[in-house]
Each structure stands twice: as C-alpha cells, then as structure tokens.
Amino acid sequence: FSAGQPIEKSWEVRNDGSCAWVRGYSVQLADGIAMGAIDRQALPEAQPGEVVVITIQFTAPAAAGTYRSAWKAHDQTGEPFGVQIYIEIIVE
C-alpha cells in the first residue's frame, strides 16, 4: 500500500457461540495499531450460527514498514470472546 492510502477491510465471521450478539457488542483493537480506525466498533447483531460481515476503514501509516492491526469481539460488559481478526499490510 502507499502511505496514507485508505483501506477497507471486511471479514465474514460466524457466531459460533450459544447466545446472540446484540446491541452493545463490539469489536475492539486488541493488538498492534489502529491505522486510523476507531478503536471500538459495533459488532453486527447475529443469532447463534449466523454469519455477518465486519467492515473496518483503515488508513495506511505514513512511514514504510509492515503493520498489523488485530481486533477482538467484546460483549456488553466489555468481556472479550472469540478469536482475533486482523489485517497486516506493507507500506512502501
């Protein structure tokens, strides 16, 4: 990617748990850098077994290098769950 380039990243994720993801659930920055993204974003509502798409807008950093931004789902109380999703980019 070029420095400052806008990046839209989407992940398809399935609610493999036993409870619904409801209003107030979020994905939050867990590791790495936000790359211009808001570090807490709403998690789409989903019933158990349902697949949803999470889309986050990033901006490539100004300096050349390799960057990673990892995110994790959180319930309404702020408790993390599930596996991390991430984006890794190279800025030239």
Side-chain angles (χ1 to χ4, degrees):
F1 293 91
S2 300
Q5 181 177 346
I7 303 164
E8 180 177 273
K9 172 65 177 164
S10 296
W11 298 265
E12 275 192 1
V13 296
R14 180 177 33 251
N15 179 348
D16 282 335
S18 58
C19 62
W21 301 343
V22 296
R23 188 169 188 233
Y25 277 49
S26 62
V27 288
Q28 298 178 31
L29 182 65
D31 191 34
I33 63 168
M35 291 194 283
I38 300 167
D39 61 3
R40 180 181 180 179
Q41 308 221 6
L43 182 64
E45 294 184 17
Q47 295 300 313
E50 188 175 358
V51 175
V52 294
V53 175
I54 298 169
T55 300
I56 299 178
Q57 306 292 326
F58 296 98
T59 302
T66 301
Y67 298 90
R68 180 180 169 105
S69 186
W71 299 74
K72 193 158 182 89
H74 289 72
D75 67 15
Q76 294 163 313
T77 68
E79 190 68 30
F81 67 91
V83 298
Q84 286 185 354
I85 56 175
Y86 69 93
I87 181 174
E88 186 170 285
I89 66 166
I90 298 172
V91 176
E92 298 181 338

